[in-house]
Amino acid sequence: MSQTLEQLQEILAQRRAASPDSSYVASLHAKGLNKILEKVGEESTEFLLACKDNDKENAIYECADLWFHTLVALSDLDLTAQDVLDELARRFEMSGLEEKANRTS
C-alpha cells in the first residue's frame, strides 16, 4: 500500500476516536453511516461532473474528496484500504468479464 494511503488511514483512525467537536471525521462517524454515504454520493457526483466537463484539475480535487470519504465509509464498516487493494490484486488473475460472471453477490 502506498505510504500516503497508509498515513491517511492512520490519521482517519486517530480522528475517528477524537471528539466530533474537533474533528470532521469524528463528526461524520457520529452522524452515522447514512451521512457518510451521503458524502460519498455527493463527492462521486462532483467527480463525475468534473470528468464530464473535462476539467482535469477539478477531477483530481474531487477524486481526492471521493477517495477520502470512501475511506471514511470503509472505516465505519471496520474495513481498510488494504482490503480493497487485496480484492483488486485477486482480480489480476482473470478478465473483468470472468470476474463479474463469478461474483456471488
Side-chain angles (χ1 to χ4, degrees):
M1 184 164 42
S2 83
Q3 199 171 10
T4 301
L5 198 51
E6 282 184 38
Q7 186 177 5
L8 177 56
Q9 205 159 275
E10 289 173 16
I11 291 168
L12 290 175
Q14 292 169 358
R15 292 189 182 163
R16 182 179 183 181
S19 167
D21 294 332
S22 65
S23 166
Y24 175 67
V25 172
S27 72
L28 282 174
H29 283 290
K31 292 174 186 172
L33 185 58
N34 283 347
K35 183 62 175 178
I36 296 167
L37 296 177
E38 182 181 304
K39 289 300 295 179
V40 171
E42 175 186 318
E43 299 303 342
S44 177
T45 299
E46 291 172 357
F47 171 68
L48 292 171
L49 292 173
C51 291
K52 180 191 75 65
D53 293 341
N54 200 29
D55 184 344
K56 293 178 182 180
E57 185 175 328
N58 202 34
I60 291 169
Y61 180 85
E62 295 302 343
C63 188
D65 283 351
L66 176 58
W67 286 10
F68 175 85
H69 287 91
T70 300
L71 289 170
V72 173
L74 287 171
S75 170
D76 202 72
L77 298 171
D78 294 321
L79 297 170
T80 67
Q82 189 61 54
D83 295 320
V84 177
L85 293 172
D86 290 346
E87 173 59 19
L88 289 170
R90 183 191 68 79
R91 294 180 186 188
F92 289 161
E93 304 292 320
M94 62 188 82
S95 78
L97 295 174
E98 180 184 3
E99 188 279 327
K100 191 170 182 177
N102 288 334
R103 286 186 195 173
T104 57
S105 56

